[in-house]
Amino acid sequence: MTEGLWVPLSVLRGLLLLLCVGPWAEGGKLLVVPMEGSHWLSMKKAVQDLHARGHQAVVLAPEVNVHIKEEDFFTLKTYAFPYTQEELENILLHHSYMVFEPEHFLKTFFKTMTLLKNTSALYQRSCAELVHNKAVIQYLNDSSFDVVLTDPFYPCGTVLAEYLSVPAVYFLRAIPCELDFEGTQCPNPSSYIPRLLTRNSDHMTFLERVKNMLYPLALKYI
Ligand SMILES: *[C@@H]1O[C@H](CO)[C@@H](O)[C@H](O)[C@H]1NC(C)=O
Ligand SMILES: *[C@@H]1O[C@H](CO)[C@@H](O)[C@H](O)[C@H]1NC(C)=O
């Protein structure tokens, strides 16, 4: 009796599941607000996979950019950007060069400070331009996206998701000063995880571990 009741129920459940995941299921509409530079190179792969699963993506990027170019797996929507290509590359590439320059900690520290200030100013201005761009905001609002996929390194994605009342999903590679570890409360022991600017590897001697404990104090200031 129970058997007779259970078999059709499980068949029914299977059918329901098939209906949900089958070709009748609709893909979502995704607004992607990426972070420029190498961050985008990682996120691009996720967008490509989402496209392969039937989702539609619109990637929103400034007209002036380094890596965010048109691809066949998303629609690129651009907006006016208040900096020239040269100014942008100056700020973004400066950081890449700095990683390879073996300089004194203090010098690197102050350079990092200026760089972060310059980068913040750049992205703040570009975000202000974006949210005041009536044509782009109207287009985004009319598109009724299901979700905003963004990188918290560029907080404008969060601002935009909030503004358009669309839920946000985050894709993060790294953020300076361990804000990602603080935000997620992940285990982050100094004995094993090399800190920013230390040039330590994950195998440290005792003195390197001491250095690894001391550097974050300065990074707190940044
Ligand atoms: C930061 O901006 C200032 C003023 O625009 C500029 O002189 C300086 O070279 C920039 N520094 C870095 C590290 O990008
Ligand atoms: C988006 O459109 C809705 C409906 O037309 C409107 O109520 C809302 O204010 C618009 N939001 C923005 C940010 O323009």
Side-chain angles (χ1 to χ4, degrees):
M1 176 79 191
T2 341
E3 276 292 290
L5 195 69
W6 274 106
V7 174
L9 259 184
S10 64
V11 169
L12 203 67
R13 269 201 301 261
L15 266 176
L16 265 177
L17 195 70
L18 207 73
L19 276 173
C20 295
V21 298
W24 303 278
E26 262 182 51
K29 275 184 89 178
L30 199 68
L31 172 64
V32 183
V33 188
M35 170 64 196
E36 175 63 281
S38 54
H39 280 237
W40 164 240
L41 301 181
S42 312
M43 195 191 235
K44 191 163 88 173
K45 188 76 189 77
V47 174
Q48 191 170 15
D49 284 359
L50 287 166
H51 170 80
R53 289 173 195 204
H55 302 290
Q56 275 178 45
V58 171
V59 173
L60 185 66
E63 269 165 15
V64 174
N65 72 72
V66 181
H67 288 307
I68 309 170
K69 304 295 171 213
E70 205 124 31
E71 302 274 355
D72 56 8
F73 52 89
F74 61 75
T75 307
L76 182 65
K77 175 82 186 165
T78 56
Y79 59 91
F81 191 65
Y83 286 76
T84 63
Q85 186 78 29
E86 201 187 351
E87 285 170 317
L88 176 74
E89 287 186 8
N90 241 345
I91 292 181
L92 288 184
L93 298 181
H94 204 107
H95 173 71
S96 319
Y97 295 144
M98 236 173 65
V99 175
F100 299 104
E101 282 169 19
E103 277 183 328
H104 190 267
F105 171 71
L106 275 180
K107 211 168 162 194
T108 314
F109 176 81
F110 286 112
K111 264 195 177 170
T112 305
M113 286 279 292
T114 329
L115 188 77
L116 286 174
K117 266 191 199 159
N118 285 9
T119 317
S120 304
L122 177 123
Y123 284 112
Q124 189 184 351
R125 245 187 90 187
S126 101
C127 190
E129 294 265 327
L130 173 60
V131 295
H132 287 114
N133 187 328
K134 285 207 176 80
V136 172
I137 293 295
Q138 172 119 38
Y139 160 82
L140 296 176
N141 201 21
D142 291 349
S143 303
S144 314
F145 291 103
D146 296 308
V147 79
V148 173
L149 174 68
T150 189
D151 185 326
F153 199 102
Y154 181 42
C156 199
T158 309
V159 171
L160 210 55
E162 194 69 26
Y163 195 39
L164 299 170
S165 307
V166 176
V169 171
Y170 296 98
F171 183 97
L172 176 68
R173 211 193 55 189
I175 217 166
C177 310
E178 324 245 300
L179 294 177
D180 44 346
F181 284 97
E182 279 193 30
T184 54
Q185 301 283 301
C186 278
N188 185 22
S190 285
S191 321
Y192 297 100
I193 300 182
R195 301 304 184 202
L196 190 71
L197 308 183
T198 56
R199 292 170 193 277
N200 284 342
S201 79
D202 57 340
H203 292 281
M204 291 172 259
T205 62
F206 176 72
L207 281 180
E208 281 169 345
R209 284 179 189 197
V210 171
K211 180 181 174 187
N212 213 45
M213 306 269 304
L214 293 177
Y215 271 47
L217 298 178
L219 298 180
K220 284 258 184 249
Y221 181 71
I222 292 185

